[in-house]
Amino acid sequence: MGKIKAVQIFKPEDLRIIDMDMPVIDEKNNVLVKITASGICGSDVGIYHGQNAAATYPRVIGHEIVGEVVEAGPTAKKVKVGDRVIIDQVTACGHCWACRHGRPNVCQHLQVRGVHIDGGYREYMAVPDKDCYILPDFLRYEDAVLIEPTTIAVQACSRAQLNEEDELLIMGCGALGSRMLSIAKLHGCKIIVADVVDEKLAEAKQNGADYTVNLLKEDLAEKCKEYTTDEYGPTVSIDCACTKDSLGTCIKVTGNAGRVITMGFSVAPTEVTNFGITSKELDIRGSRLQNRKFQEVIDLVNAGKVDLDHKISHTYHFTDAQAAFDFNDTRDPSIRKIVLTMD
Ligand code: MN
Ligand code: ZN
């Protein structure tokens, strides 16, 4: 049996390039995909640094996974050899309460590729055909990895029940925040973007943010009042910063009867008061992964409503993953999205 190379986080802070067995297709995992690119996400960085409470080790990480179908078993109907695809990272049991109620992304027995089971930083994967989604023809593999973070944004906007009447605060404008902005724009609501990097705020403005706030230079609560109707504050806040204080900050600035969406995975205690939530009767809702949003995003890209070109800032060969993760840790302001390639 042949061997393939993979990036494994053996334990926190211990990244290894390993040899693993070439995957073989079977009845369940009925297609073989030659992986061509896989994005580095904040959660991958969290697993590397031991800050992701869900992850188990050792683990081949990577959940933003694109490639080409190179073998398809007789039961594969959805895709065929030669198709360029992105792979859904969510695998669910199908029979727990969450699954029965249409919420497989929070399945009781959830197994996420790259978190609980091995993911996409490797040369080949065998997966079920139903987990593969065909990429837009015109999209390069490197850019196509962004379909995944865009599904995460679609999920959060859906959890927020975002609509055109809303006045939205997007907290943090990194890779996730900028995807959130592009999806939120489609809902036609007013959008305030807050971050600590002026260059990212300038880009957010170019990409349709109505207002921007630099958290290091301006008072967010004051600016949120100034920029919203009747000084009401945002009706929805989506926390794409996921820092220690960002949830508390979102709760503080959101207007009465508003919705606050959390997306972070930190287990560090954060300061939140009963009064802050009850007095405004806020809805605090978690948004985890995505609930079968891949086709929706691919349709948006194909329709020209979402543009995924020119968003990748750096690419590394996957065997240079250590260098890529080290560079990401420098927090260089030029970093938008780093992608690992396999060719
Ligand atoms: Mn991701
Ligand atoms: Zn389940």
Side-chain angles (χ1 to χ4, degrees), residues 210-231:
D210 298 285
Y211 303 98
T212 61
V213 180
N214 186 319
L215 297 162
L216 299 178
K217 299 175 187 171
E218 297 168 292
D219 183 303
L220 181 65
E222 217 167 84
K223 288 289 159 189
C224 279
K225 280 189 169 179
E226 184 183 330
Y227 295 149
T228 52
T229 307
D230 299 329
E231 302 196 329

PDB file of all heavy atoms in Angstrom, residues 210-231:
ATOM      1  N   ASP A 210     -20.619  50.613   5.835  1.00  0.00           N
ATOM      2  CA  ASP A 210     -21.100  52.001   5.884  1.00  0.00           C
ATOM      3  C   ASP A 210     -20.243  52.843   6.819  1.00  0.00           C
ATOM      4  O   ASP A 210     -19.993  54.014   6.573  1.00  0.00           O
ATOM      5  CB  ASP A 210     -22.561  52.011   6.346  1.00  0.00           C
ATOM      6  CG  ASP A 210     -23.458  51.274   5.373  1.00  0.00           C
ATOM      7  OD1 ASP A 210     -23.732  51.838   4.302  1.00  0.00           O
ATOM      8  OD2 ASP A 210     -23.853  50.127   5.670  1.00  0.00           O
ATOM      9  N   TYR A 211     -19.820  52.237   7.921  1.00  0.00           N
ATOM     10  CA  TYR A 211     -18.980  52.935   8.898  1.00  0.00           C
ATOM     11  C   TYR A 211     -17.913  51.988   9.416  1.00  0.00           C
ATOM     12  O   TYR A 211     -18.135  50.772   9.492  1.00  0.00           O
ATOM     13  CB  TYR A 211     -19.813  53.413  10.089  1.00  0.00           C
ATOM     14  CG  TYR A 211     -20.954  54.314   9.714  1.00  0.00           C
ATOM     15  CD1 TYR A 211     -22.257  53.809   9.578  1.00  0.00           C
ATOM     16  CD2 TYR A 211     -20.746  55.679   9.479  1.00  0.00           C
ATOM     17  CE1 TYR A 211     -23.314  54.633   9.228  1.00  0.00           C
ATOM     18  CE2 TYR A 211     -21.797  56.508   9.134  1.00  0.00           C
ATOM     19  CZ  TYR A 211     -23.080  55.986   9.002  1.00  0.00           C
ATOM     20  OH  TYR A 211     -24.112  56.794   8.651  1.00  0.00           O
ATOM     21  N   THR A 212     -16.769  52.546   9.806  1.00  0.00           N
ATOM     22  CA  THR A 212     -15.739  51.722  10.441  1.00  0.00           C
ATOM     23  C   THR A 212     -15.287  52.396  11.727  1.00  0.00           C
ATOM     24  O   THR A 212     -15.367  53.621  11.865  1.00  0.00           O
ATOM     25  CB  THR A 212     -14.518  51.505   9.523  1.00  0.00           C
ATOM     26  OG1 THR A 212     -13.938  52.768   9.216  1.00  0.00           O
ATOM     27  CG2 THR A 212     -14.902  50.786   8.244  1.00  0.00           C
ATOM     28  N   VAL A 213     -14.846  51.569  12.672  1.00  0.00           N
ATOM     29  CA  VAL A 213     -14.378  52.068  13.969  1.00  0.00           C
ATOM     30  C   VAL A 213     -13.046  51.394  14.285  1.00  0.00           C
ATOM     31  O   VAL A 213     -12.949  50.159  14.249  1.00  0.00           O
ATOM     32  CB  VAL A 213     -15.392  51.730  15.091  1.00  0.00           C
ATOM     33  CG1 VAL A 213     -14.889  52.269  16.434  1.00  0.00           C
ATOM     34  CG2 VAL A 213     -16.775  52.279  14.768  1.00  0.00           C
ATOM     35  N   ASN A 214     -12.021  52.180  14.577  1.00  0.00           N
ATOM     36  CA  ASN A 214     -10.761  51.613  15.056  1.00  0.00           C
ATOM     37  C   ASN A 214     -10.824  51.533  16.579  1.00  0.00           C
ATOM     38  O   ASN A 214     -10.857  52.554  17.272  1.00  0.00           O
ATOM     39  CB  ASN A 214      -9.556  52.450  14.609  1.00  0.00           C
ATOM     40  CG  ASN A 214      -8.247  51.767  14.989  1.00  0.00           C
ATOM     41  OD1 ASN A 214      -8.116  51.202  16.085  1.00  0.00           O
ATOM     42  ND2 ASN A 214      -7.287  51.808  14.090  1.00  0.00           N
ATOM     43  N   LEU A 215     -10.870  50.309  17.092  1.00  0.00           N
ATOM     44  CA  LEU A 215     -11.087  50.081  18.525  1.00  0.00           C
ATOM     45  C   LEU A 215      -9.970  50.651  19.390  1.00  0.00           C
ATOM     46  O   LEU A 215     -10.171  50.875  20.590  1.00  0.00           O
ATOM     47  CB  LEU A 215     -11.208  48.573  18.789  1.00  0.00           C
ATOM     48  CG  LEU A 215     -12.404  47.898  18.114  1.00  0.00           C
ATOM     49  CD1 LEU A 215     -12.210  46.391  18.044  1.00  0.00           C
ATOM     50  CD2 LEU A 215     -13.694  48.238  18.850  1.00  0.00           C
ATOM     51  N   LEU A 216      -8.789  50.875  18.804  1.00  0.00           N
ATOM     52  CA  LEU A 216      -7.669  51.416  19.591  1.00  0.00           C
ATOM     53  C   LEU A 216      -7.732  52.936  19.684  1.00  0.00           C
ATOM     54  O   LEU A 216      -7.141  53.544  20.566  1.00  0.00           O
ATOM     55  CB  LEU A 216      -6.328  51.004  18.970  1.00  0.00           C
ATOM     56  CG  LEU A 216      -6.051  49.501  18.901  1.00  0.00           C
ATOM     57  CD1 LEU A 216      -4.711  49.239  18.212  1.00  0.00           C
ATOM     58  CD2 LEU A 216      -6.068  48.884  20.292  1.00  0.00           C
ATOM     59  N   LYS A 217      -8.458  53.540  18.727  1.00  0.00           N
ATOM     60  CA  LYS A 217      -8.441  54.998  18.654  1.00  0.00           C
ATOM     61  C   LYS A 217      -9.779  55.638  18.987  1.00  0.00           C
ATOM     62  O   LYS A 217      -9.857  56.835  19.253  1.00  0.00           O
ATOM     63  CB  LYS A 217      -8.034  55.438  17.239  1.00  0.00           C
ATOM     64  CG  LYS A 217      -6.648  54.970  16.828  1.00  0.00           C
ATOM     65  CD  LYS A 217      -6.380  55.341  15.366  1.00  0.00           C
ATOM     66  CE  LYS A 217      -5.062  54.735  14.891  1.00  0.00           C
ATOM     67  NZ  LYS A 217      -4.899  54.907  13.445  1.00  0.00           N
ATOM     68  N   GLU A 218     -10.857  54.846  18.901  1.00  0.00           N
ATOM     69  CA  GLU A 218     -12.193  55.424  19.097  1.00  0.00           C
ATOM     70  C   GLU A 218     -12.975  54.622  20.132  1.00  0.00           C
ATOM     71  O   GLU A 218     -12.678  53.461  20.374  1.00  0.00           O
ATOM     72  CB  GLU A 218     -12.955  55.420  17.758  1.00  0.00           C
ATOM     73  CG  GLU A 218     -12.309  56.288  16.694  1.00  0.00           C
ATOM     74  CD  GLU A 218     -12.901  56.038  15.309  1.00  0.00           C
ATOM     75  OE1 GLU A 218     -12.693  54.956  14.749  1.00  0.00           O
ATOM     76  OE2 GLU A 218     -13.572  56.949  14.807  1.00  0.00           O
ATOM     77  N   ASP A 219     -13.985  55.274  20.723  1.00  0.00           N
ATOM     78  CA  ASP A 219     -14.844  54.610  21.704  1.00  0.00           C
ATOM     79  C   ASP A 219     -15.984  53.910  20.958  1.00  0.00           C
ATOM     80  O   ASP A 219     -16.843  54.560  20.353  1.00  0.00           O
ATOM     81  CB  ASP A 219     -15.386  55.668  22.671  1.00  0.00           C
ATOM     82  CG  ASP A 219     -16.227  55.034  23.774  1.00  0.00           C
ATOM     83  OD1 ASP A 219     -17.215  54.324  23.445  1.00  0.00           O
ATOM     84  OD2 ASP A 219     -15.908  55.257  24.937  1.00  0.00           O
ATOM     85  N   LEU A 220     -15.984  52.587  21.007  1.00  0.00           N
ATOM     86  CA  LEU A 220     -16.937  51.822  20.191  1.00  0.00           C
ATOM     87  C   LEU A 220     -18.384  52.126  20.571  1.00  0.00           C
ATOM     88  O   LEU A 220     -19.236  52.338  19.705  1.00  0.00           O
ATOM     89  CB  LEU A 220     -16.665  50.317  20.308  1.00  0.00           C
ATOM     90  CG  LEU A 220     -17.604  49.433  19.477  1.00  0.00           C
ATOM     91  CD1 LEU A 220     -17.417  49.665  17.982  1.00  0.00           C
ATOM     92  CD2 LEU A 220     -17.414  47.958  19.815  1.00  0.00           C
ATOM     93  N   ALA A 221     -18.677  52.151  21.885  1.00  0.00           N
ATOM     94  CA  ALA A 221     -20.057  52.376  22.321  1.00  0.00           C
ATOM     95  C   ALA A 221     -20.577  53.719  21.798  1.00  0.00           C
ATOM     96  O   ALA A 221     -21.708  53.821  21.292  1.00  0.00           O
ATOM     97  CB  ALA A 221     -20.139  52.317  23.846  1.00  0.00           C
ATOM     98  N   GLU A 222     -19.714  54.725  21.905  1.00  0.00           N
ATOM     99  CA  GLU A 222     -20.099  56.060  21.447  1.00  0.00           C
ATOM    100  C   GLU A 222     -20.351  56.073  19.944  1.00  0.00           C
ATOM    101  O   GLU A 222     -21.352  56.620  19.457  1.00  0.00           O
ATOM    102  CB  GLU A 222     -18.925  56.995  21.763  1.00  0.00           C
ATOM    103  CG  GLU A 222     -19.302  58.377  22.195  1.00  0.00           C
ATOM    104  CD  GLU A 222     -18.057  59.054  22.760  1.00  0.00           C
ATOM    105  OE1 GLU A 222     -17.278  59.585  21.944  1.00  0.00           O
ATOM    106  OE2 GLU A 222     -17.847  59.016  23.999  1.00  0.00           O
ATOM    107  N   LYS A 223     -19.414  55.447  19.211  1.00  0.00           N
ATOM    108  CA  LYS A 223     -19.535  55.422  17.747  1.00  0.00           C
ATOM    109  C   LYS A 223     -20.750  54.608  17.301  1.00  0.00           C
ATOM    110  O   LYS A 223     -21.423  54.971  16.331  1.00  0.00           O
ATOM    111  CB  LYS A 223     -18.251  54.849  17.115  1.00  0.00           C
ATOM    112  CG  LYS A 223     -17.077  55.795  17.194  1.00  0.00           C
ATOM    113  CD  LYS A 223     -17.285  56.967  16.250  1.00  0.00           C
ATOM    114  CE  LYS A 223     -16.429  58.154  16.645  1.00  0.00           C
ATOM    115  NZ  LYS A 223     -16.771  59.379  15.854  1.00  0.00           N
ATOM    116  N   CYS A 224     -21.041  53.523  18.026  1.00  0.00           N
ATOM    117  CA  CYS A 224     -22.215  52.711  17.661  1.00  0.00           C
ATOM    118  C   CYS A 224     -23.494  53.530  17.812  1.00  0.00           C
ATOM    119  O   CYS A 224     -24.423  53.400  17.013  1.00  0.00           O
ATOM    120  CB  CYS A 224     -22.285  51.454  18.531  1.00  0.00           C
ATOM    121  SG  CYS A 224     -21.205  50.141  17.943  1.00  0.00           S
ATOM    122  N   LYS A 225     -23.548  54.351  18.850  1.00  0.00           N
ATOM    123  CA  LYS A 225     -24.717  55.238  19.001  1.00  0.00           C
ATOM    124  C   LYS A 225     -24.777  56.230  17.852  1.00  0.00           C
ATOM    125  O   LYS A 225     -25.820  56.417  17.225  1.00  0.00           O
ATOM    126  CB  LYS A 225     -24.619  55.997  20.323  1.00  0.00           C
ATOM    127  CG  LYS A 225     -25.046  55.181  21.514  1.00  0.00           C
ATOM    128  CD  LYS A 225     -25.132  56.067  22.739  1.00  0.00           C
ATOM    129  CE  LYS A 225     -25.819  55.328  23.875  1.00  0.00           C
ATOM    130  NZ  LYS A 225     -25.883  56.157  25.087  1.00  0.00           N
ATOM    131  N   GLU A 226     -23.636  56.865  17.594  1.00  0.00           N
ATOM    132  CA  GLU A 226     -23.585  57.890  16.559  1.00  0.00           C
ATOM    133  C   GLU A 226     -24.017  57.340  15.191  1.00  0.00           C
ATOM    134  O   GLU A 226     -24.707  58.033  14.436  1.00  0.00           O
ATOM    135  CB  GLU A 226     -22.152  58.437  16.484  1.00  0.00           C
ATOM    136  CG  GLU A 226     -21.973  59.581  15.497  1.00  0.00           C
ATOM    137  CD  GLU A 226     -20.504  60.034  15.413  1.00  0.00           C
ATOM    138  OE1 GLU A 226     -19.775  59.919  16.437  1.00  0.00           O
ATOM    139  OE2 GLU A 226     -20.103  60.476  14.327  1.00  0.00           O
ATOM    140  N   TYR A 227     -23.633  56.114  14.888  1.00  0.00           N
ATOM    141  CA  TYR A 227     -23.851  55.568  13.544  1.00  0.00           C
ATOM    142  C   TYR A 227     -25.186  54.833  13.390  1.00  0.00           C
ATOM    143  O   TYR A 227     -25.493  54.337  12.312  1.00  0.00           O
ATOM    144  CB  TYR A 227     -22.707  54.622  13.172  1.00  0.00           C
ATOM    145  CG  TYR A 227     -21.354  55.299  13.059  1.00  0.00           C
ATOM    146  CD1 TYR A 227     -20.180  54.597  13.374  1.00  0.00           C
ATOM    147  CD2 TYR A 227     -21.241  56.624  12.632  1.00  0.00           C
ATOM    148  CE1 TYR A 227     -18.941  55.204  13.270  1.00  0.00           C
ATOM    149  CE2 TYR A 227     -20.002  57.234  12.532  1.00  0.00           C
ATOM    150  CZ  TYR A 227     -18.854  56.525  12.855  1.00  0.00           C
ATOM    151  OH  TYR A 227     -17.631  57.117  12.750  1.00  0.00           O
ATOM    152  N   THR A 228     -25.965  54.703  14.459  1.00  0.00           N
ATOM    153  CA  THR A 228     -27.233  53.977  14.317  1.00  0.00           C
ATOM    154  C   THR A 228     -28.422  54.923  14.510  1.00  0.00           C
ATOM    155  O   THR A 228     -28.297  55.966  15.154  1.00  0.00           O
ATOM    156  CB  THR A 228     -27.349  52.817  15.343  1.00  0.00           C
ATOM    157  OG1 THR A 228     -27.089  53.322  16.653  1.00  0.00           O
ATOM    158  CG2 THR A 228     -26.362  51.710  15.030  1.00  0.00           C
ATOM    159  N   THR A 229     -29.562  54.532  13.953  1.00  0.00           N
ATOM    160  CA  THR A 229     -30.777  55.343  13.979  1.00  0.00           C
ATOM    161  C   THR A 229     -31.210  55.611  15.418  1.00  0.00           C
ATOM    162  O   THR A 229     -31.280  54.682  16.232  1.00  0.00           O
ATOM    163  CB  THR A 229     -31.901  54.603  13.223  1.00  0.00           C
ATOM    164  OG1 THR A 229     -31.413  54.247  11.935  1.00  0.00           O
ATOM    165  CG2 THR A 229     -33.136  55.469  13.086  1.00  0.00           C
ATOM    166  N   ASP A 230     -31.506  56.854  15.764  1.00  0.00           N
ATOM    167  CA  ASP A 230     -31.954  57.244  17.106  1.00  0.00           C
ATOM    168  C   ASP A 230     -30.976  56.816  18.210  1.00  0.00           C
ATOM    169  O   ASP A 230     -31.403  56.564  19.339  1.00  0.00           O
ATOM    170  CB  ASP A 230     -33.346  56.628  17.423  1.00  0.00           C
ATOM    171  CG  ASP A 230     -34.410  57.100  16.450  1.00  0.00           C
ATOM    172  OD1 ASP A 230     -34.285  58.255  15.960  1.00  0.00           O
ATOM    173  OD2 ASP A 230     -35.353  56.341  16.172  1.00  0.00           O
ATOM    174  N   GLU A 231     -29.700  56.700  17.863  1.00  0.00           N
ATOM    175  CA  GLU A 231     -28.674  56.283  18.834  1.00  0.00           C
ATOM    176  C   GLU A 231     -29.031  54.963  19.521  1.00  0.00           C
ATOM    177  O   GLU A 231     -28.741  54.746  20.691  1.00  0.00           O
ATOM    178  CB  GLU A 231     -28.448  57.380  19.897  1.00  0.00           C
ATOM    179  CG  GLU A 231     -28.021  58.708  19.301  1.00  0.00           C
ATOM    180  CD  GLU A 231     -27.446  59.642  20.350  1.00  0.00           C
ATOM    181  OE1 GLU A 231     -27.872  59.559  21.524  1.00  0.00           O
ATOM    182  OE2 GLU A 231     -26.567  60.435  19.992  1.00  0.00           O
TER     183      GLU A 231
END
